[in-house]
């Protein structure tokens, strides 16, 4: 029985150490050791594993990874506590120290290790120290030292429970304090407000009145998020700075306030993730306010031979963007606001890149802090190092939102609806096929911007039985969406989306 309780004590000791580290991470802005380890696991994972996680788990991959790391730590800590209960106290403490040391190493080397050296080291150091002390306490309640040897004494359940309870209370207190100290960070966003654009967008398109269709504007809370961080950065705009350098005539450093003083434009732009499967959810449309990147490039003076920009996030992730996509007249911006509010933390607050017509992994740098004009031959970016294409224009795509797959609809007049997109080209036609019948035109909602998706509806006469609906789109250049099936890797999925419905 005392060995089981010893395992429980080990788990409590580990939990207290993690809670203490979490508190310090919230206070300093440094990486929580669990997240530092998690980011390194993501970076080390083979490409197919990443693809599977995005495809299967979606945005749940990050919390599941956190849970997995914590469960692993709990198991090892339980073993350490069990060993301590058998009289091997020093071994138990050494195991706890080893776990803490792993967290410290990853806090140093992980991409999540933003901020000063103290910010990076302090949460992991506190976690290590508390792990050692807590494990020493819960195991000491069951052993006594005699000379150079450790001898088990009679198990004192009362002493053990008091010790573990005290450690547990300390852990809960640290966790609660972390929640209180960290807060939501919304005061940072509230302090910024929404800048007034000098070149505003026109009236918003009204969404079609079809239950279940994607609205023209995707709410911020429902906008897809695909990135590699477990801990979302909370950057104070007063501390933020962007460095623009490289193959330029003059280097430029901009504070957030200086960026606000620049010409600001407001545009509706649809973003798409390269990991999006055919018919997948990783696409969304938002109204953005930001500084045109072309304005900044003209100011610094791009030198001969440059063909790329390497942008870097606060966590060290790099993205490579074709220079031409930032200077060819499209509305590529450093975005400051999204759908009438400051950027959400999850979407890059305080500043991110938004470039129409390119998948996010080659354009949409969030939490951007560095902007280097360079040549593709002189660097490689995070995702291209992992097997994705260097350049990736968005492919023409269409999706059926309603009816959902294997939905049941009533016989008679029925409606199918969805969205289609071909950023930089626009959508000119959407067609729907029922079973193996002819392609029939769908009705398109009005839109005046080729950089946004377009809603469509299709009315058909549903007859009893099982039917397959397939959709395809044609872009404004007259090019038909390909029916050739391709996976997301290396430069975006292709193929036609279909759904099967039951009619009764």
């Amino acid at each position: 029985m005392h060995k089981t309780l010893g395992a429980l004590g080990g788990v409590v000791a580990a939990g207290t150490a993690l809670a203490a580290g979490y508190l310090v991470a919230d206070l300093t802005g440094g990486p929580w050791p669990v997240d530092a380890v998690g980011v390194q696991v993501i970076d080390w994972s083979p490409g197919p594993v990443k693809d599977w996680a995005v495809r299967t788990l979606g945005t749940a991959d990050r919390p599941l990874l956190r849970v997995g790391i914590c469960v692993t730590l709990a198991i090892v800590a339980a073993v350490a506590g069990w060993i301590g209960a058998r009289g091997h106290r020093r071994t138990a403490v050494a195991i706890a120290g080893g776990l803490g040391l792993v967290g410290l190493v990853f806090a140093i080397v992980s991409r999540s290790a933003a901020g000063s050296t103290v910010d990076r080291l302090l949460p992991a150091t506190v976690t290590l120290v508390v792990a050692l002390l807590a494990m020493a306490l819960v195991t000491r309640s069951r052993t006594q030292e005699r000379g150079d040897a450790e001898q088990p004494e009679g198990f004192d359940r009362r002493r053990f429970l008091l010790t573990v309870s005290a450690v547990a209370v300390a852990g809960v207190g640290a966790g609660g304090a972390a929640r209180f100290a960290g807060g939501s960070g919304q005061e940072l966003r509230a302090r910024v407000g929404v800048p007034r654009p000098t070149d505003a967008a026109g009236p918003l398109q009204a969404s079609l009145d079809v239950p279940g269709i994607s609205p023209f504007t995707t709410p911020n809370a429902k906008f897809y998020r695909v990135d590699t961080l477990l801990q979302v950065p909370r950057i104070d705009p007063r501390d933020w700075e962007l460095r623009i350098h490289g193959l330029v005539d003059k280097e430029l450093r901009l504070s957030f306030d200086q960026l606000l003083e620049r010409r600001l434009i407001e545009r509706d732009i649809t973003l798409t993730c390269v990991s999006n499967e055919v018919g997948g959810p990783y696409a969304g449309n938002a109204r953005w306010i930001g500084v045109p990147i072309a304005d900044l490039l003209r100011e610094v003076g791009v030198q001969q031979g440059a063909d790329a920009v390497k942008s870097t996030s606060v966590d060290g992730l790099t993205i490579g963007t074709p220079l031409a996509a930032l200077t060819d007249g499209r509305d590529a911006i450093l975005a400051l606001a999204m759908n009438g509010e400051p950027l959400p933390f999850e979407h890059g607050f305080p500043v991110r890149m938004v470039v129409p017509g390119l998948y996010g992994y080659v354009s949409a740098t969030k939490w951007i802090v560095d902007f280097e004009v360079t040549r593709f031959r002189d660097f490689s970016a995070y995702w291209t190092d992992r097997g994705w294409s260097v350049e990736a224009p968005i492919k023409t795509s269409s999706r059926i939102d309603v009816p959902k797959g294997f939905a049941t609809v009533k016989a008679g007049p029925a409606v199918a609806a969805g969205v289609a997109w071909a950023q930089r080209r626009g959508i000119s036609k959407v067609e729907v096929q029922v079973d193996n019948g002819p392609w029939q035109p769908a009705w398109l909602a009005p839109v005046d911007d080729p950089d946004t998706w377009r809603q469509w509806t299709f009315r058909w006469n549903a007859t009893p039985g099982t039917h397959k609906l397939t959709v395809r789109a044609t872009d404004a250049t007259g090019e038909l969406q390909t029916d050739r099936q391709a996976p997301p890797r290396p430069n975006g999925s292709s193929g036609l989306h279909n759904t099967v419905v039951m009619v009764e």
Side-chain angles (χ1 to χ4, degrees), residues 360-434:
Y361 85 100
V362 293
S363 67
T365 312
K366 295 188 283 191
W367 315 293
I368 185 172
V369 294
D370 192 86
F371 192 90
E372 180 184 359
V373 180
T374 181
R375 293 179 288 254
F376 276 119
R377 71 176 188 228
D378 293 336
F379 79 101
S380 60
Y382 180 89
W383 290 112
T384 52
D385 283 341
R386 288 156 176 80
W388 296 86
S389 297
V390 173
E391 300 187 46
I394 289 177
K395 301 175 181 178
T396 301
S397 301
S398 53
R399 183 177 74 199
I400 301 171
D401 290 334
V402 289
K404 299 295 185 183
F406 300 103
T408 299
V409 301
K410 293 182 179 180
V415 176
V419 288
W421 59 88
Q423 292 93 311
R424 298 304 301 143
R425 304 181 301 279
I427 296 293
S428 63
K429 182 168 63 175
V430 170
E431 300 169 288
V432 177
Q433 182 186 56
V434 180

Side-chain angles (χ1 to χ4, degrees), residues 486-502:
R489 183 181 293 270
N491 57 9
S493 65
S494 66
L496 303 183
H497 187 219
N498 63 70
T499 186
V500 175
V501 296
M502 318 295 183

Side-chain angles (χ1 to χ4, degrees), residues 19 48 55 67 80 106 148 178 214 247 282 288 295 325 438 478:
R55 181 176 63 252
V67 169
F106 279 118
D148 295 331
S214 300
L247 298 178
Y282 300 132
W288 310 88
D295 289 1

Side-chain angles (χ1 to χ4, degrees), residues 131-486:
L132 290 170
L133 293 175
M135 188 64 75
L137 279 173
V138 299
T139 54
R140 187 176 182 82
S141 67
R142 292 178 301 281
T143 64
Q144 61 179 359
E145 295 185 9
R146 296 178 181 172
D148 295 331
E150 292 184 353
Q151 300 294 332
E153 65 177 6
F155 181 70
D156 187 338
R157 180 177 298 182
R158 181 174 178 275
R159 181 182 178 189
F160 169 77
L161 291 176
L162 287 173
T163 303
V164 171
S165 297
V167 172
V169 168
V172 172
R179 300 282 294 183
F180 177 79
S184 65
Q186 295 305 324
E187 69 279 359
L188 298 177
R189 297 175 68 239
R191 188 184 303 130
V192 168
V194 179
R196 185 182 297 276
T198 52
D199 182 358
L204 278 169
Q205 297 292 135
S207 294
L208 297 181
D209 187 19
V210 179
I213 191 174
S214 300
F216 178 74
T217 299
T218 308
N220 289 352
K222 294 185 178 181
F223 206 96
Y224 77 90
R225 176 195 166 199
V226 177
D227 55 56
T228 61
L229 288 184
L230 279 76
Q231 183 177 348
V232 176
R234 298 287 195 270
I235 303 171
D236 190 328
R238 294 171 296 187
D239 300 330
W240 179 87
E241 183 182 67
L242 177 67
R243 180 189 179 206
I244 303 175
H245 62 109
L247 298 178
V248 297
D249 295 334
K250 60 176 181 178
E251 181 175 316
L252 182 63
R253 292 178 181 267
L254 290 170
S255 68
F256 187 80
D257 287 340
Q258 289 172 329
L259 200 63
L260 286 174
E261 295 171 354
R262 302 279 169 156
R263 182 172 76 95
L264 297 172
I265 65 174
E266 181 180 53
R267 296 292 186 268
D268 296 318
I269 299 172
T270 295
L271 299 185
T272 313
C273 180
V274 73
S275 298
N276 202 37
E277 299 278 354
V278 172
Y282 300 132
N285 187 65
R287 173 159 287 195
W288 310 88
I289 297 175
V291 176
I293 294 175
D295 289 1
L296 299 174
L297 289 173
R298 280 192 294 269
E299 182 173 338
V300 299
V302 176
Q303 295 178 356
Q304 190 78 17
D307 64 1
V309 164
K310 181 177 77 170
S311 53
T312 306
S313 173
V314 69
D315 64 304
L317 182 141
T318 56
I319 281 179
T321 307
L323 181 64
L326 306 176
T327 57
D328 62 2
R330 74 184 72 187
D331 293 316
I333 59 174
L334 294 177
L336 310 170
M338 179 181 182
N339 288 335
E341 61 181 71
L343 288 174
F345 290 114
E346 294 81 1
H347 295 291
F349 180 85
V351 183
R352 68 169 293 170
M353 282 178 63
V354 173
V355 182
L358 298 178
Y359 290 112
Y361 85 100
V362 293
S363 67
T365 312
K366 295 188 283 191
W367 315 293
I368 185 172
V369 294
D370 192 86
F371 192 90
E372 180 184 359
V373 180
T374 181
R375 293 179 288 254
F376 276 119
R377 71 176 188 228
D378 293 336
F379 79 101
S380 60
Y382 180 89
W383 290 112
T384 52
D385 283 341
R386 288 156 176 80
W388 296 86
S389 297
V390 173
E391 300 187 46
I394 289 177
K395 301 175 181 178
T396 301
S397 301
S398 53
R399 183 177 74 199
I400 301 171
D401 290 334
V402 289
K404 299 295 185 183
F406 300 103
T408 299
V409 301
K410 293 182 179 180
V415 176
V419 288
W421 59 88
Q423 292 93 311
R424 298 304 301 143
R425 304 181 301 279
I427 296 293
S428 63
K429 182 168 63 175
V430 170
E431 300 169 288
V432 177
Q433 182 186 56
V434 180
D435 298 323
N436 294 316
W439 288 97
Q440 304 176 62
W443 183 83
L444 292 175
V447 67
D448 58 2
D449 194 326
D451 290 334
T452 66
W453 61 16
R454 200 164 183 182
Q455 296 172 309
W456 59 266
T457 59
F458 174 72
R459 299 188 180 280
W460 60 296
N461 185 40
T463 58
T466 301
H467 299 282
K468 183 176 76 171
L469 303 178
T470 307
V471 65
R472 69 181 184 185
T474 301
D475 71 21
T477 70
E479 184 175 347
L480 180 66
Q481 177 182 348
T482 181
D483 61 359
R484 183 180 64 85
Q485 294 185 346

Side-chain angles (χ1 to χ4, degrees), residues 24-39:
V24 176
D26 262 350
L27 293 173
T28 64
W32 186 35
V34 169
D35 289 347
V37 172
V39 169

